[in-house]
């Protein structure tokens, strides 16, 4: 993901995410969540976090295979987030 394009999109949306929730190897924000124990990660396993009690704006760009689980968590917790959603025919 091109960080400069993301910054422009965030600005146009009027939202500035502070935590990258699904960052396996490449994170686009300083605070990021790893699926496993990685040095520098803000937290481990995005699904283990309570997305509703956080004062953060999340950036969500998960692996597509977990989208059903992400949607359930996103709407169930009522998180504030910028979401990259796959566009498929």
């Amino acid at each position: 993901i091109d960080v400069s394009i993301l910054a422009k999109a965030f600005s146009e949306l009027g939202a500035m995410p502070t935590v990258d929730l699904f960052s396996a190897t490449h994170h686009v924000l300083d605070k990021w969540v790893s699926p496993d124990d990685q040095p520098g990660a803000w937290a481990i396993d995005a699904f283990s976090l309570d997305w509703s009690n956080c004062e953060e704006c999340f950036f969500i760009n998960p692996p597509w295979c977990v989208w059903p689980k992400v949607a359930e968590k996103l709407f169930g917790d009522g998180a504030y987030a910028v979401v990259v959603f796959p566009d498929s025919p």
Side-chain angles (χ1 to χ4, degrees):
I1 292 180
D2 186 323
V3 178
S4 64
I5 293 172
L6 275 181
K8 183 178 178 183
F10 295 158
S11 176
E12 289 180 10
L13 290 169
M16 189 51 65
T18 53
V19 179
D20 184 345
L21 277 185
F22 292 89
S23 180
T25 56
H26 175 74
H27 52 277
V28 297
L29 300 169
D30 291 337
K31 289 171 89 174
W32 50 282
V33 179
S34 173
D36 51 30
D37 190 12
Q38 290 190 27
W42 180 68
I44 299 168
D45 183 14
F47 292 113
S48 70
L49 302 175
D50 182 353
W51 297 1
S52 67
N53 287 335
C54 193
E55 295 182 10
E56 306 285 350
C57 175
F58 297 119
F59 173 67
I60 300 177
N61 183 19
W64 291 9
C65 62
V66 298
W67 258 108
K69 191 173 179 180
V70 169
E72 181 179 333
K73 179 84 170 158
L74 181 64
F75 293 110
D77 283 5
Y80 177 53
V82 172
V83 181
V84 176
F85 191 80
D87 181 21
S88 59

